[in-house]
Amino acid sequence: MSSSHYRADKASVCRLSALTLALLSVGSTAWAQTTDNAGTQTRTLAPIVVQGQDAQSPLGPVDGYIATRSISATKTDTPLIETPQSVTVVTQEQIEDTGAQSLQDALNYAAGVRTEAYGVDSRSDNFRIRGASPSIYLDGLRTNYNYYTSTTRTEPYTLERVEVLRGPSSMLYGQGSTAGVINMVSKRPQEEAHHEIGISYGSHNRRQIQADLTGAIDEDGKWLYRLVALKRKSNTQVDYVRDDRWVLAPSLTWRPSASTSLTLLALLQEDKSGSTSQFFPWEGVATYNPNGQLPTNRFIGDPDWDRYNSKRRAIGWEFEHKFNDNWTVRQNTRFSKNEVDYRSLYGDSFTLPGGWAGDPINKRMLGRIAYGSIKNVFMASADQHLEGKFETGALKHHVLVGFDATYGREEERSAYDAPNYNGGTVPLIDAYNPVYPAYTPPSFSELPTIRQRDIGFYLQDQMRYQNWIFVAGLRYDRSTNAPDGGQDQTSTAWTNRFGIMYAFENGISPYVSYSESFTPVLGRTSAGSPYVPLRGKQIEAGLKYESLDGNILVNTAVYNLKEENRLVSDPANPTQNIQAGKTTNRGFEIEVKAKVTRKLNVLANYNYTDVDEQLEALPRHQAALWGKYQITGEEQNGLSAGAGVRWFGAFTDGNAPRTPSVTLVDAMIAYETPDWRLALNANNIFDKVYVSTCLSRGDCWYGARRSIVASATYKF
């Protein structure tokens, strides 16, 4: 990547952002003062303006597990009870109590989320929601386009919360799958001072030190700061695969007035790791092999060549200005540069589905594939919108109008070599007694630089008439994929969203909603026309309940999700594809969060997922239960204990072996004082060896073994 290109791309987005701010800021006095939101239900919380209020902020800390407000589902501060769509919010306290070591761990107890879709994978946090993989966002902006090789795994210690928006969400976020969006919310500066440093030690010689410092810089609280830092040295459950990391996340907030704020957020992160995914064959993992079962710690790569090292540098800002009580303008911008060096020798489970193409009789010598990818990815994203509240007669409006733009540039060098029985030079390895043979890795070659340009315009209106709530939205997107030396491909799409809900006085809110998604499909038809995007359409009906004291939150939903324009073989010409494929997914979800007593907090969820046979299979049934009890003391001070159970039903992907059901048990115990928190977390406490999934293409993936971590945190 040339520095001139970098400067030009960055300058373009900066000019766009500056122009937007200028246009929206000019003439602030021209906005007429309108009637405020009088008549709203008394149980509906007002938007937080001053820190320290009892009302929750959709971006700030939450006491306990129950977040009652979210910003991801509407891009406005909206109570979950007034949002006609399935949303789950995982708070920082829940992340801490469950001992989450990754984003994947943080969502272990989130409804409708299949967290171990591909077992233990040190390269990426993989999820499946409603049959598809969701788009991952950080602070409302996309993190990457092309899966794991273009980004780093997010450190959960840097997050205030994680919000899961289930179902098609293109109306607000542009291109994406039918799964929806996972939006991570960074820790931001707080006016109330909080300082903590912590150390931890755990399984696989995991050693970690971390710090989180925040507070006001000046007496007036116009300047706030936060610094989150972490360093870790660790092994993993797979031999020769590290999990080393350091991360630094500083942020600064400037509040020149009560109506204006600007927050700068930066992130520096480096990971030194490898691939825990060995792509083992069916035979030896899920089915019989005369040599026994392959151990979960087995490494079949090259200790000197294999790696998954990444660097991330990001900086951005969040700007907000309130013209008055009813009109607000916001802008969110981020520039990021990701570098990934991925090299792996992994099992050839695909030449002969089930594996052992190189040793079909003895089934010890496993063929391997060599793959390398060195990527440099630059991304610039900006989202700006105007939020307004007004009335037309008895109808109250909460309007959002905005546009967003994302530019991504991906530069890649890749390497590939096949097993020695498939025309390559990669030698076989004894998977049951590995002696790592000498091997000359393949050389890397340049691939064409790919540029991705997305721009979208959206309009949303949240309307209220007495106890009736209506949500309607419309968006237009233009997405262009431009490879150097190739032909640009542009996709356009209109997406809609509608919802209707009735808010009963007792806290029950039934709803029905309709939402859409679109996903660009690269390539062209036999006639030379570009493929049209995949289109997803979902109808969801549900019921939400929030107790008047905010101590119980229930969300239930049933959905019917259809997708069309999938690529399938042309019956008239098997060498070509046509967009005639259609899929249908159906399901049911229920999630309960409750503060049962002052000392007992409970999370529970169950989901049924009926995935179309054309898609990668998932467990039809999945359930989880977590509870935390304050044994001694009050308000988290004292001794507390927690335990959880996660259950996944059996399932089969195509002609693959059946993936058995599994029940996993987690636990924690903690002692907390005003100054100290001492904790012991154990996930998969009984060290169950289990298979997360076996795919019809020929490979199986192990799930996470037992992990025990002891931690000590000092607060001052």
Side-chain angles (χ1 to χ4, degrees):
M1 175 175 62
S2 71
S3 59
S4 61
H5 284 168
Y6 180 90
R7 288 192 299 270
D9 298 334
K10 186 173 182 179
S12 297
V13 178
C14 284
R15 286 194 295 270
L16 174 65
S17 301
L19 179 61
T20 303
L21 288 174
L23 291 174
L24 293 175
S25 298
V26 169
S28 62
T29 57
W31 294 104
Q33 181 76 30
T34 60
T35 312
D36 62 11
N37 198 22
T40 303
Q41 299 291 313
T42 55
R43 66 186 311 277
T44 302
L45 301 176
I48 193 166
V49 214
V50 180
Q51 298 198 33
Q53 292 180 334
D54 292 334
Q56 288 187 7
S57 163
L59 299 175
V62 172
D63 183 15
Y65 298 166
I66 303 176
T68 58
R69 312 184 75 85
S70 168
I71 202 167
S72 299
T74 60
K75 290 189 178 181
T76 65
D77 181 0
T78 302
L80 292 175
I81 195 68
E82 298 181 8
T83 304
Q85 190 169 350
S86 294
V87 184
T88 292
V89 179
V90 179
T91 67
Q92 195 275 332
E93 186 170 325
Q94 181 180 333
I95 294 173
E96 181 181 65
D97 285 346
T98 55
Q101 300 176 19
S102 65
L103 178 61
Q104 191 167 290
D105 290 345
L107 298 182
N108 275 340
Y109 290 91
V113 182
R114 169 64 164 158
T115 56
E116 290 203 337
Y118 305 104
V120 179
D121 191 348
S122 55
R123 305 167 301 172
S124 173
D125 292 301
N126 296 303
F127 308 95
R128 299 280 303 286
I129 299 174
R130 298 184 176 181
S133 298
S135 301
I136 308 299
Y137 281 67
L138 176 64
D139 299 322
L141 299 175
R142 182 182 294 272
T143 58
N144 69 303
Y145 282 102
N146 294 328
Y147 196 47
Y148 60 91
T149 55
S150 58
T151 189
T152 60
R153 302 178 79 186
T154 300
E155 170 56 49
Y157 188 67
T158 66
L159 303 178
E160 191 68 66
R161 60 167 67 190
V162 182
E163 302 188 345
V164 182
L165 181 60
R166 297 189 290 279
S169 304
S170 288
M171 197 290 293
L172 282 178
Y173 293 97
Q175 66 160 290
S177 74
T178 57
V181 166
I182 293 176
N183 182 40
M184 303 171 290
V185 179
S186 300
K187 291 178 176 177
R188 289 163 168 77
Q190 301 296 308
E191 186 170 0
E192 183 178 351
H194 173 81
H195 310 98
E196 69 173 44
I197 56 174
I199 58 173
S200 61
Y201 180 80
S203 302
H204 315 300
N205 199 26
R206 180 185 179 91
R207 296 148 290 162
Q208 182 168 298
I209 184 170
Q210 60 198 37
D212 182 4
L213 314 172
T214 189
I217 298 176
D218 62 332
E219 294 183 357
D220 297 330
K222 291 185 176 182
W223 291 92
L224 314 177
Y225 78 95
R226 192 157 196 167
L227 179 64
V228 181
L230 177 145
K231 185 173 177 62
R232 176 171 70 241
K233 299 283 288 186
S234 179
N235 300 319
T236 67
Q237 71 178 49
V238 177
D239 296 341
Y240 300 105
V241 179
R242 298 181 292 169
D243 183 22
D244 299 345
R245 167 177 291 167
W246 70 263
V247 59
L248 188 66
S251 53
L252 181 68
T253 294
W254 177 45
R255 302 188 298 185
S257 68
S259 59
T260 304
S261 68
L262 175 66
T263 298
L264 304 177
L265 299 111
L267 177 68
L268 297 90
Q269 180 175 331
E270 290 192 15
D271 290 2
K272 301 288 186 182
S273 186
S275 178
T276 53
S277 306
Q278 302 296 293
F279 296 85
F280 288 141
W282 300 338
E283 298 178 19
V285 176
T287 61
Y288 173 76
N289 185 297
N291 304 288
Q293 187 178 32
L294 287 164
T296 57
N297 67 323
R298 179 67 72 242
F299 176 79
I300 59 168
D302 186 328
D304 296 324
W305 193 68
D306 282 43
R307 70 196 66 175
Y308 192 90
N309 299 338
S310 61
K311 297 180 181 179
R312 189 176 189 191
R313 305 289 187 265
I315 188 167
W317 64 81
E318 296 179 346
F319 172 81
E320 179 182 281
H321 176 70
K322 297 179 180 294
F323 298 108
N324 50 47
D325 290 342
N326 297 310
W327 292 97
T328 302
V329 62
R330 298 186 184 90
Q331 188 195 58
N332 189 6
T333 300
R334 182 170 66 239
F335 305 94
S336 64
K337 183 180 179 183
N338 302 321
E339 301 176 14
V340 176
D341 185 352
Y342 173 39
R343 311 180 193 194
S344 179
L345 286 172
Y346 59 90
D348 175 27
S349 301
F350 320 109
T351 300
L352 179 65
W356 313 106
D359 188 14
I361 299 183
N362 297 317
K363 299 183 179 180
R364 291 187 65 95
M365 304 302 293
L366 184 62
R368 299 176 298 170
I369 297 169
Y371 174 75
S373 173
I374 300 176
K375 282 188 180 180
N376 290 301
V377 179
F378 169 76
M379 291 190 67
S381 301
D383 182 12
Q384 40 276 310
H385 58 249
L386 179 68
E387 178 184 348
K389 299 177 182 179
F390 59 91
E391 298 179 4
T392 55
L395 189 64
K396 299 178 176 64
H397 299 266
H398 191 167
V399 173
L400 189 75
V401 56
F403 71 94
D404 51 42
T406 300
Y407 172 84
R409 186 181 64 254
E410 181 178 281
E411 301 169 338
E412 181 179 10
R413 292 186 293 139
S414 72
Y416 178 83
D417 194 6
N420 55 15
Y421 52 79
N422 271 351
T425 66
V426 184
L428 302 176
I429 191 171
D430 187 344
Y432 287 89
N433 186 25
V435 176
Y436 304 101
Y439 170 64
T440 302
S443 57
F444 285 82
S445 58
E446 293 283 345
L447 295 181
T449 297
I450 298 175
R451 292 172 174 81
Q452 182 73 36
R453 300 185 297 272
D454 289 353
I455 188 168
F457 301 86
Y458 55 90
L459 173 65
Q460 176 183 265
D461 191 1
Q462 299 169 257
M463 296 163 280
R464 185 160 188 145
Y465 175 74
Q466 297 180 357
N467 288 39
W468 289 97
I469 298 170
F470 309 90
V471 178
L474 177 66
R475 179 185 176 104
Y476 173 78
D477 279 282
R478 181 181 178 88
S479 177
T480 300
N481 183 274
D484 281 1
Q487 191 174 2
D488 293 3
Q489 182 171 330
T490 298
S491 302
T492 61
W494 289 90
T495 50
N496 305 296
R497 177 190 185 190
F498 304 99
I500 182 171
M501 167 181 268
Y502 188 86
F504 287 96
E505 302 292 342
N506 59 4
I508 296 176
S509 297
Y511 70 90
V512 176
S513 65
Y514 170 82
S515 58
E516 297 179 342
S517 67
F518 86 99
T519 310
V521 179
L522 299 181
R524 295 181 178 271
T525 68
S526 57
S529 302
Y531 290 129
V532 299
L534 292 175
R535 298 304 302 257
K537 301 177 181 180
Q538 176 185 270
I539 296 177
E540 177 178 305
L543 185 147
K544 297 188 176 188
Y545 171 73
E546 181 184 331
S547 62
L548 296 179
D549 58 7
N551 288 336
I552 302 175
L553 194 66
V554 180
N555 184 27
T556 65
V558 294
Y559 62 88
N560 185 288
L561 179 55
K562 297 181 180 293
E563 191 174 48
E564 59 187 19
N565 300 333
R566 299 184 64 86
L567 293 177
V568 296
S569 296
D570 186 350
N573 186 359
T575 63
Q576 299 291 333
N577 291 324
I578 57 174
Q579 290 189 282
K582 298 181 180 180
T583 60
T584 300
N585 298 340
R586 302 178 179 88
F588 167 76
E589 299 161 350
I590 180 170
E591 180 177 45
V592 179
K593 295 186 175 185
K595 187 175 183 179
V596 182
T597 68
R598 289 184 303 168
K599 295 188 174 186
L600 178 62
N601 288 273
V602 174
L603 309 171
N605 64 73
Y606 164 80
N607 62 270
Y608 169 83
T609 309
D610 184 7
V611 178
D612 196 290
E613 292 183 354
Q614 302 175 66
L615 303 176
E616 193 176 292
L618 288 169
R620 285 203 170 200
H621 305 278
Q622 179 178 320
L625 172 66
W626 172 269
K628 176 187 175 184
Y629 184 74
Q630 192 77 24
I631 301 173
T632 63
E634 297 288 343
E635 297 181 355
Q636 299 183 338
N637 289 325
L639 184 66
S640 61
V645 178
R646 295 176 281 140
W647 174 74
F648 306 93
F651 67 99
T652 303
D653 181 48
N655 63 342
R658 186 172 178 82
T659 301
S661 64
V662 64
T663 302
L664 304 173
V665 179
D666 310 318
M668 65 81 69
I669 188 168
Y671 181 76
E672 195 161 356
T673 73
D675 299 327
W676 286 94
R677 183 179 189 271
L678 307 176
L680 184 68
N681 286 87
N683 291 336
N684 188 5
I685 193 171
F686 298 113
D687 198 22
K688 185 167 293 186
V689 177
Y690 65 100
V691 178
S692 171
T693 186
C694 285
L695 302 177
S696 61
R697 66 189 188 184
D699 53 335
C700 290
W701 303 63
Y702 281 121
R705 298 288 299 273
R706 178 171 59 210
S707 172
I708 300 176
V709 177
S711 61
T713 303
Y714 175 65
K715 295 169 287 184
F716 58 98

